Amino acid sequence: MNLVSPNFSDLMEPNIEFKNFPDGDSYVRIENLSGCQGEEVNLFHRLYPDQNNNIFHAILLLDTLKRVGARTTLVTPYLPYSRQDKTFKEGESLSAQVLCSMLAHAGAQMLITLDCHFLKKEGEFEYGGLKIKNISANKLLIEHAKKILGEDELEIISPDQGANYLVTEFGGKSMTKVRGEYQKGDEAYRTIDKVEGNFDVEGKNVLIIDDMISTGGTMIRAVGNVRNGKAKKVLCAATHGFFLKGSLEKLLDVSDGVFTTNSIPNEAAKVDVMQLLKL
Ligand code: R5P
């Protein structure tokens, strides 16, 4: 049985209700809860954007399903907090672990997600007590690039070592990224000091592929790098496109094209995640 959240309505017909009480508390309702009793349920629900609200919605839904003995798989294309799997400074939280434990405790028997940042490979894992199936969108993104640029001489490069798994099976290479300290102010953002890699890209078409484009800082530096190497055409792709701080426009200015999946709805989404999430 499939349950579909209102925030999945661009991909499937929703059959769950979300509202707010006058004081702002969340209200969720699964109309056909009796039909879920003792069943295998796939809960299609995005946890981003508006992650803190949507995580809480997921917890309420999972618990409601657990109470009727449903065995629920949460299908969420992008897992927020997945970059907070390590601490950098004393006293920071391990937010990725906290989120996974909460989802498992609420009743998720499995999480299906795409290119989960801390897993760094496809397959089935257990993390924070939660079983996770991690699927990569790399093949679909590379196929899309080949439709645009043709099959010839496409150099596939990831902008850092963490995204190396996206490119290795296609003979790709990875740049190295060095992050600096947190910037001053309220935003928890660590600067990107360097994105380096010395590849022979002169006269070649290049696809730079990452798990996500957030502020675009990584991708913009990676494009600069292959432009300096006199690449012919440069495409930028990622599974998850946030495009914060006007980064889509900036990337379109410096590259020959930018595209992502629709894991997070955005203007550059060209690859449909339902090809990967059909269960
Ligand atoms: C981090 O290691 C990720 O793989 C991405 O490279 C990073 O999160 C992208 O962030 P931004 O677009 O802000 O540079």
Side-chain angles (χ1 to χ4, degrees):
M1 136 111 40
N2 286 343
L3 289 181
V4 182
S5 155
N7 74 16
F8 231 86
S9 65
D10 54 323
L11 302 173
M12 294 168 89
E13 188 61 38
N15 53 9
I16 294 175
E17 197 181 353
F18 288 170
K19 293 185 186 184
N20 283 105
F21 289 100
D23 61 0
D25 285 357
S26 297
Y27 169 99
V28 303
R29 180 167 172 257
I30 300 164
E31 280 176 42
N32 182 20
L33 185 64
S34 54
C36 300
Q37 197 149 3
E39 293 291 317
E40 300 274 347
V41 171
N42 299 314
L43 171 59
F44 291 84
H45 172 62
R46 282 191 174 100
L47 297 181
Y48 188 93
D50 195 13
Q51 60 270 51
N52 293 348
N53 255 320
N54 279 316
I55 288 167
F56 194 61
H57 283 146
I59 286 170
L60 296 179
L61 293 168
L62 289 165
D63 182 76
T64 306
L65 289 162
K66 187 167 76 170
R67 285 171 194 279
V68 297
R71 293 178 302 284
T72 309
T73 295
L74 174 63
V75 185
T76 198
Y78 168 68
L79 184 68
Y81 291 99
S82 56
R83 285 178 287 179
Q84 276 72 66
D85 60 320
K86 293 187 192 81
T87 56
F88 177 65
K89 281 194 162 173
E90 187 186 355
E92 293 176 341
S93 61
L94 282 173
S95 308
Q97 286 234 12
V98 173
L99 174 58
C100 290
S101 312
M102 278 173 27
L103 294 173
H105 183 76
Q109 302 222 330
M110 166 83 96
L111 171 80
I112 298 186
T113 194
L114 303 181
D115 290 310
C116 173
H117 183 75
F118 57 77
L119 292 176
K120 303 197 191 309
K121 58 179 161 181
E122 269 197 309
E124 294 199 11
F125 303 86
E126 186 156 337
Y127 184 85
L130 179 66
K131 287 195 178 120
I132 305 179
K133 182 170 175 186
N134 187 37
I135 301 169
S136 184
N138 60 350
K139 292 175 200 65
L140 295 180
L141 292 167
I142 291 169
E143 271 169 27
H144 189 78
K146 287 184 174 170
K147 275 187 213 146
I148 301 172
L149 293 176
E151 294 280 334
D152 304 337
E153 291 257 40
L154 180 61
E155 286 289 321
I156 302 172
I157 296 176
S158 75
D160 59 30
Q161 297 294 323
N164 185 251
Y165 80 98
L166 296 171
V167 304
T168 41
E169 66 180 291
F170 302 95
K173 297 158 193 153
S174 297
M175 297 180 184
T176 307
K177 174 164 77 182
V178 180
R179 274 202 185 269
E181 286 292 329
Y182 285 108
Q183 284 191 324
K184 288 207 172 86
D186 290 344
E187 213 172 48
Y189 177 72
R190 282 172 62 200
T191 52
I192 296 161
D193 287 352
K194 279 188 234 163
V195 175
E196 289 179 331
N198 221 344
F199 309 123
D200 175 18
V201 291
E202 189 165 347
K204 294 180 189 165
N205 289 330
V206 175
L207 170 67
I208 308 176
I209 182 169
D210 203 354
D211 58 342
M212 62 183 87
I213 299 173
S214 176
T215 65
T218 304
M219 196 55 94
I220 289 168
R221 280 177 179 73
V223 173
N225 187 311
V226 295
R227 285 280 186 226
N228 287 341
K230 301 196 173 64
K232 194 162 133 199
K233 288 204 167 162
V234 184
L235 291 182
C236 306
T239 305
H240 312 294
F242 301 70
F243 298 116
L244 307 175
K245 301 182 188 286
S247 51
L248 180 55
E249 291 68 27
K250 289 181 197 160
L251 275 169
L252 286 169
D253 268 1
V254 295
S255 72
D256 297 288
V258 182
F259 59 91
T260 67
T261 76
N262 52 2
S263 66
I264 298 169
N266 75 77
E267 279 175 49
K270 296 286 184 282
V271 171
D272 187 0
V273 292
M274 290 315 288
Q275 298 173 78
L276 302 167
L277 296 179
K278 283 218 171 77
L279 306 173

